[in-house]
Amino acid sequence: MLYYVFIINGALVFKEVGVTEPQRYGALIFIPSLFILLGAAIFRLLAMRPTMLQLGVVMLLMGGGLAGMGMATTVPVIIACLIVQQTAAGMTVPTLIAWTQSKFGFEHRGRAMGIWTGAFFLGQSQSPRLVHAIDAQMGSIQGAFLTAGLVGLGAAAVALIMFIS
């Protein structure tokens, strides 16, 4: 669900710091969106490392980027945090697929990917509902981003502790 927080609600977080024109929003996210490629390269570097390290790095970057956007008061700070979040986005799908595939034998990997795909798209459909419920509770979309980011950072801590153990 964290993967979709910015994808679906990014324009709203920019709106809270004064970016209301769609053209400006598009121009501002163009360069940070290219950092998805950096995330894919980082995944490649971590591909042969333990899954918990991979997950820990993804969640650390995703959580840090989202939390940062949630606390940002200026556009340049949001852009910097978006670069971090987009780097994580580039790592997310291959990391999750590798994790899923590592848990099942060859004879069950097709079924596992079917379940994974269903869960991934369930996250896509439910993330907006959850983000907006948190938005209503916190009073701002930035509060929802901060909350989502803290969840990601908590998940990073768990994954990295499991990696170290």
Side-chain angles (χ1 to χ4, degrees), residues 5 17 21-22 25 27 34 41 80-81 91 94 109-114 122 131-133 145 147 152 157 162:
V5 171
V17 294
E21 305 82 25
Y25 170 71
L34 296 176
C81 296
M91 299 174 67
R109 287 185 178 176
R111 182 171 296 158
M113 281 309 301
L122 179 64
V131 168
H132 290 291
F145 269 59
T147 302
M162 290 175 71

Side-chain angles (χ1 to χ4, degrees), residues 47-78:
M48 298 314 238
R49 301 298 309 251
T51 304
M52 285 302 125
L53 175 62
Q54 295 171 14
L55 288 170
V57 171
V58 168
M59 289 292 111
L60 183 65
L61 294 172
M62 184 69 71
L66 292 172
M69 284 186 267
M71 295 184 297
T73 58
T74 65
V75 171
V77 173
I78 287 184

Side-chain angles (χ1 to χ4, degrees), residues 23-115:
Q23 298 85 353
R24 182 163 180 236
Y25 170 71
L28 288 170
I29 67 166
F30 173 71
I31 297 297
S33 70
L34 296 176
F35 280 80
I36 288 173
L37 300 172
L38 176 62
I42 293 171
F43 171 76
R44 178 67 186 115
L45 293 173
L46 296 175
M48 298 314 238
R49 301 298 309 251
T51 304
M52 285 302 125
L53 175 62
Q54 295 171 14
L55 288 170
V57 171
V58 168
M59 289 292 111
L60 183 65
L61 294 172
M62 184 69 71
L66 292 172
M69 284 186 267
M71 295 184 297
T73 58
T74 65
V75 171
V77 173
I78 287 184
I79 296 295
C81 296
L82 179 56
I83 287 170
V84 173
Q85 185 275 337
Q86 289 291 282
T87 301
M91 299 174 67
T92 301
V93 172
T95 298
L96 293 176
I97 290 172
W99 183 31
T100 300
Q101 294 300 296
S102 73
K103 298 295 180 193
F104 296 93
F106 289 108
E107 66 276 9
H108 299 294
R109 287 185 178 176
R111 182 171 296 158
M113 281 309 301
I115 294 167

Side-chain angles (χ1 to χ4, degrees), residues 125-138:
S125 70
Q126 296 308 304
S127 181
R129 293 178 54 166
L130 183 59
V131 168
H132 290 291
I134 297 169
D135 173 6
Q137 203 63 22
M138 300 294 290

